[in-house]
Amino acid sequence: MDFQFPYTSFDLTQEVNKLPNQYGLINALGIAPIEPKGSRYVRIDIKDGVIYVLAAKTPGAPGEVGPDETESGVILQIPHFPHLERIVVGDVDGLLQVINGAIEPRSLDRELLRKLTAIRNHHSITLEYIRLGMLRGLIKDGAGATLYDLFDVFDIAKKSVDFKLGTAGTDVRAKCEEVVDHVMTNLRGETMTGVETVVSSSWFNKLITHVNVEKFWLQAQNSSEHRDLRRLHSAGNWGRVFEFGDIVFREYKGGLPVKGANGAITTVANVEAGKGHAYPSGTQSMMRTFEAPVYHIDLANQPPEQDTIYISPKELDHGEGYELKSQSNRLAVCKQPECLVELTTSD
């Protein structure tokens, strides 16, 4: 059977980018929107301007000269994530498929759609993984290698709050206030609409069953909210949502498949058991997913379209099939990691 591959790189890229990214709670929340860049490097400027209350003076008197603004910055390289898929003769030749109840020969078009869906899912999972790393402040790749420790990059000490949810006497509201106060103190010119978290199931369970949390809701008029927790249906997660102490707690169930150096695939929890991560929501530009140009000679130094997965096909030797090489080039960054708070419970 003679297969003619009628699709160009443009066709394949256009088609895979039409497939929606339906994977991942962080993606669904939209807290780190994609920002295309014209370079494989991004510079994040740090300005320490001081805003202060002015002194009253007689009308016409000269004003005080403001201090100079100090400026520094860090330069980060946006990582490159390639992936290969193949369509070989054996995937379509002599095979049957059932379409709408009718038996038909397996088609190249349907096999290609299956491969494009797999490609989209691989890159979508990778994007969710690096965005979760952004909230942890520790961004790793699928092989477990550390790409960036944001606290080291920005020379910031990580803030961690032990809620001690296994201790009946813990003032949980005071712990929540410690988190909120830390985030607000470190906004430094940014704005926010609130504080939100993603937490593990074990941490979430300890929170909602803590005696002081239950007591608060039993005494409140809206105590039914504690009994009927909302479930977030975004991205197929079905995690529970609970607001307490001016913080929105979101349970992030499940994990992501990661392929180790030995080829074995293991599941890494979205949020480590017994932990959570707090961050400011509704900021102006604190969190971004930077997207670099496609690594292809025809597209060098050209800013990509938003959320680009680029695919180039190659015919295999001796007419055995086609290879599809896909790539995405993204890095999720919190520009002010001092506003990130790790939540733990030591008991």
Side-chain angles (χ1 to χ4, degrees):
M1 182 177 292
D2 182 22
F3 289 109
Q4 298 295 324
F5 200 70
Y7 304 103
T8 65
S9 292
F10 177 82
D11 296 329
L12 294 172
T13 298
Q14 187 178 44
E15 288 305 311
V16 78
N17 289 332
K18 285 181 181 178
L19 297 172
N21 179 2
Q22 298 177 335
Y23 199 97
L25 175 61
I26 309 303
N27 176 70
L29 293 174
I31 63 175
I34 292 177
E35 181 178 322
K37 310 297 292 185
S39 168
R40 304 198 66 77
Y41 295 86
V42 59
R43 174 184 166 91
I44 299 176
D45 294 324
I46 303 170
K47 296 181 180 180
D48 294 324
V50 179
I51 301 175
Y52 53 91
V53 178
L54 301 176
K57 293 182 179 293
T58 304
E64 296 180 359
V65 178
D68 291 335
E69 199 173 59
T70 60
E71 182 175 342
S72 60
V74 296
I75 297 177
L76 305 175
Q77 183 176 3
I78 301 174
H80 172 70
F81 299 102
H83 177 67
L84 293 176
E85 291 280 353
R86 287 186 174 184
I87 299 177
V88 296
V89 176
D91 291 331
V92 293
D93 189 23
L95 299 178
L96 301 176
Q97 59 187 2
V98 178
I99 305 298
N100 296 326
I103 299 176
E104 300 176 0
R106 182 172 293 184
S107 68
L108 177 61
D109 285 345
R110 288 192 177 275
E111 182 63 17
L112 180 60
L113 176 60
R114 190 177 72 84
K115 293 293 186 181
L116 291 179
T117 301
I119 287 171
R120 160 55 78 176
N121 289 339
H122 280 299
H123 289 280
S124 296
I125 287 173
T126 302
L127 179 58
E128 184 74 1
Y129 191 66
I130 62 175
R131 281 173 169 165
L132 279 167
M134 172 195 68
L135 294 184
R136 289 192 296 264
L138 183 63
I139 303 171
K140 295 187 175 184
D141 67 9
T146 297
L147 299 176
Y148 291 104
D149 183 326
L150 295 180
F151 300 107
D152 285 345
V153 169
F154 290 91
D155 194 22
I156 297 294
K158 181 171 72 172
K159 172 67 173 179
S160 182
V161 176
D162 183 356
F163 271 65
K164 296 185 178 180
L165 296 173
T167 301
T170 299
D171 187 342
V172 182
R173 287 187 65 85
K175 295 290 185 179
C176 292
E177 186 60 29
E178 182 181 352
V179 173
V180 173
D181 182 68
H182 179 83
V183 174
M184 294 188 67
T185 300
N186 287 282
L187 284 175
R188 296 190 307 169
E190 255 282 9
T191 58
M192 71 176 191
T193 57
V195 175
E196 299 181 358
T197 72
V198 289
V199 301
S200 67
S201 295
S202 59
W203 200 97
F204 191 93
N205 288 335
K206 285 188 174 183
L207 172 69
I208 63 174
T209 58
H210 191 276
V211 61
N212 287 331
V213 176
E214 287 187 326
K215 182 188 302 182
F216 173 82
W217 286 109
L218 289 173
Q219 294 174 348
Q221 290 182 351
N222 57 347
S223 60
S224 61
E225 185 169 341
H226 183 249
R227 296 194 301 271
D228 302 322
L229 296 174
R230 291 183 292 128
R231 283 197 180 271
L232 186 66
H233 296 167
S234 298
N237 181 58
W238 283 75
R240 294 165 290 180
V241 184
F242 182 58
E243 185 172 352
F244 182 80
D246 298 320
I247 297 177
V248 176
F249 295 94
R250 288 191 174 91
E251 176 191 25
Y252 199 172
K253 293 179 176 291
L256 299 177
V258 175
K259 190 175 184 179
N262 61 355
I265 295 178
T266 58
T267 298
V268 176
N270 291 322
V271 182
E272 185 180 342
K275 288 189 177 182
H277 305 283
Y279 58 90
S281 61
T283 61
Q284 299 176 59
S285 62
M286 185 180 295
M287 287 177 272
R288 285 291 183 270
T289 301
F290 297 110
E291 187 166 20
V294 172
Y295 190 74
H296 191 283
I297 192 62
D298 294 337
L299 300 172
N301 297 319
Q302 296 182 27
E305 296 183 7
Q306 198 161 7
D307 191 19
T308 295
I309 298 171
Y310 183 80
I311 301 179
S312 58
K314 175 186 175 182
E315 184 175 359
L316 299 176
D317 291 341
H318 310 295
E320 293 181 357
Y322 294 91
E323 183 178 80
L324 305 177
K325 182 175 182 180
S326 63
Q327 60 170 288
S328 57
N329 303 273
R330 298 160 174 165
L331 177 65
V333 177
C334 176
K335 304 174 188 177
Q336 296 176 228
E338 60 269 35
C339 290
L340 302 177
V341 182
E342 181 183 67
L343 312 181
T344 65
T345 178
S346 58
D347 52 16

